[in-house]
Amino acid sequence: MLPPSVGDVLGPGHLCFFVRRMVAKLNLSAFRDEYGSEGGPAYAPEMMVSVWLYAYALGVTSSRRLEQRIREDLAFRYLGGGAAPDHWTLNGFRRRHAKGLNDLFTRVVELARASGLGRLGHVAIDSTRIAANASRNRLDTEQGLREKRARIRRDIRRWQKQCDAEDPTKARARRWAAKPWSGWSVKGKRFLRGWNGCENRD
């Protein structure tokens, strides 16, 4: 259970409250549309985006670690609304919505910069101000904004690749490729070898 007032415990300026406010401003229709009309989502997109955004801000890349943090860390529990998705669900959501999450996280970092934040958790924000409304500087301004956005996107993609490296499904595939017999009983190994032998004789 969450305490009566999370703000009293964490303080009103805690990053998790900023994340909650930012996610409330985002258009998540693309995330909702994937569920179709046959049934509602197991977990609300707002919650899944919130916990992954907060994970990005803190540099959390493991879905297993994120699952644990949602169960044990008050800020993650607040953003999760008391829900407890497992790491397979968390990782599946991140993989399905890689581009959408990149777009949303880029937008949140830009909003954080506009709010005057120098950091978003562990994420440093380039708060250099670019001249605006001056016609002679307009091209420089637009180019500067494009470059800033490109840097943000690269940073988010780098984090996503780190998440991919710790993807439990890929880790299992790597273990299978390295040791295809691991997990088989002795009887099962003998059966499969015999089956392969029969096929080769054909």
Side-chain angles (χ1 to χ4, degrees), residues 19-20 23-24 26-36 39-53 79-80 89-90 93-94 96-97 101 104-105:
V19 170
R20 172 64 68 84
V23 172
L26 300 174
N27 181 359
L28 303 181
S29 58
F31 294 82
R32 296 191 189 92
D33 290 346
E34 75 155 353
Y35 296 105
Y43 296 101
E46 290 84 355
M47 183 275 285
M48 299 293 279
V49 170
S50 294
V51 296
W52 270 118
L53 175 57
L79 292 172
T89 302
L90 291 163
F93 182 87
R94 181 192 61 78
R96 287 195 306 276
H97 298 291
L101 289 173
L104 291 184
F105 290 7

Side-chain angles (χ1 to χ4, degrees), residues 29-194:
S29 58
F31 294 82
R32 296 191 189 92
D33 290 346
E34 75 155 353
Y35 296 105
S37 59
E38 296 183 357
Y43 296 101
E46 290 84 355
M47 183 275 285
M48 299 293 279
V49 170
S50 294
V51 296
W52 270 118
L53 175 57
Y54 192 51
Y56 166 65
L58 299 188
V60 176
T61 56
S62 166
S63 59
R64 292 182 185 272
R65 180 60 175 160
L66 178 54
E67 176 186 356
Q68 181 182 9
R69 295 290 292 271
I70 293 173
R71 295 177 185 275
E72 300 176 357
D73 183 292
L74 179 57
F76 273 108
R77 287 169 58 200
Y78 166 75
L79 292 172
D86 60 31
H87 64 277
W88 296 107
T89 302
L90 291 163
N91 192 63
F93 182 87
R94 181 192 61 78
R95 292 178 62 194
R96 287 195 306 276
H97 298 291
K99 184 181 183 304
L101 289 173
N102 191 301
D103 292 342
L104 291 184
F105 290 7
T106 299
R107 178 59 179 153
V108 170
V109 173
E110 290 175 336
L111 290 171
R113 181 199 299 133
S115 300
L117 296 181
R119 303 189 68 83
L120 183 66
H122 294 174
V123 180
I125 297 175
D126 181 2
S127 58
T128 305
R129 302 181 71 85
I130 301 177
N133 299 326
S135 57
R136 63 188 180 88
N137 292 328
R138 184 172 181 179
L139 293 178
D140 291 338
T141 297
E142 293 177 352
Q143 179 64 25
L145 290 173
R146 283 195 294 269
E147 291 175 357
K148 282 177 178 287
R149 174 165 288 192
R151 283 197 297 271
I152 294 170
R153 287 188 175 279
R154 284 196 298 270
D155 288 342
I156 296 171
R157 281 197 296 271
R158 189 178 303 114
W159 171 80
Q160 289 175 317
K161 288 180 179 178
Q162 292 173 341
C163 292
D164 288 338
E166 301 191 45
D167 182 339
T169 58
K170 292 186 177 180
R172 176 179 292 182
R174 287 194 297 269
R175 288 195 299 271
W176 170 256
K179 296 182 178 180
W181 297 105
S182 63
W184 284 72
S185 67
V186 174
K187 184 180 293 186
K189 292 176 182 179
R190 288 174 179 169
F191 172 80
L192 190 58
R193 288 193 182 103

